[in-house]
Amino acid sequence: MWYAITALDHADSLQKRLAARPAHLQRLQELQAAGRLLLAGPFPAIDSEDPGPAGFSGSLIVAEFVDLAAAKAWADADPFVAAGVYREVDVRPFRKTLP
C-alpha cells in the first residue's frame, strides 16, 4: 500500500537540511530503485522553485510499504529526523486515484 509521509521543518533548519541531504536522498533512491517511490520533494518556504536562503518548510514523500508500522519505522529513521531538520512527521495511508 502507498503511504504519505508529510514532514514539517524546524525554523532555520536549512543548513542542517543541506548537511543531511545526501543520506536522505540515498534512502529515497533506494526506494525508487525498488519501484516503491511514487514521488518525493520539499516544500519551498516561499513561492519559488529555488527558495535560496529562505529554505524549505517541510517535505512530502509517497512510497509503498508493507504496512503502516513499516512506513512509520522508515520515516523515523530518516536522516532529516536524526539531524533535527523535521519538527513533526505524519505518516498515513494513501490511495492513489489519478493519474
Side-chain angles (χ1 to χ4, degrees):
M1 180 166 193
W2 295 109
Y3 293 87
I5 301 168
T6 308
L8 301 177
D9 288 11
H10 285 284
D12 301 317
S13 62
L14 180 59
Q15 293 309 312
K16 291 178 182 179
R17 178 183 269 272
L18 294 175
R21 188 171 187 262
H24 172 78
L25 287 178
Q26 180 180 350
R27 295 178 81 233
L28 292 172
Q29 290 164 345
E30 290 169 3
L31 284 177
Q32 184 177 26
R36 296 174 43 212
L37 183 65
L38 184 62
L39 64 91
F43 299 122
I46 59 173
D47 190 11
S48 174
E49 182 77 19
D50 180 4
F56 300 91
S57 63
S59 301
L60 171 64
I61 299 164
V62 179
E64 187 177 35
F65 296 93
V66 296
D67 58 25
L68 182 59
K72 286 182 176 184
W74 188 91
D76 288 344
D78 193 292
F80 282 176
V81 171
V85 174
Y86 292 156
R87 67 176 169 83
E88 181 180 328
V89 178
D90 180 60
V91 181
R92 61 180 72 196
F94 177 80
R95 190 182 79 185
K96 182 178 183 267
T97 303
L98 294 171

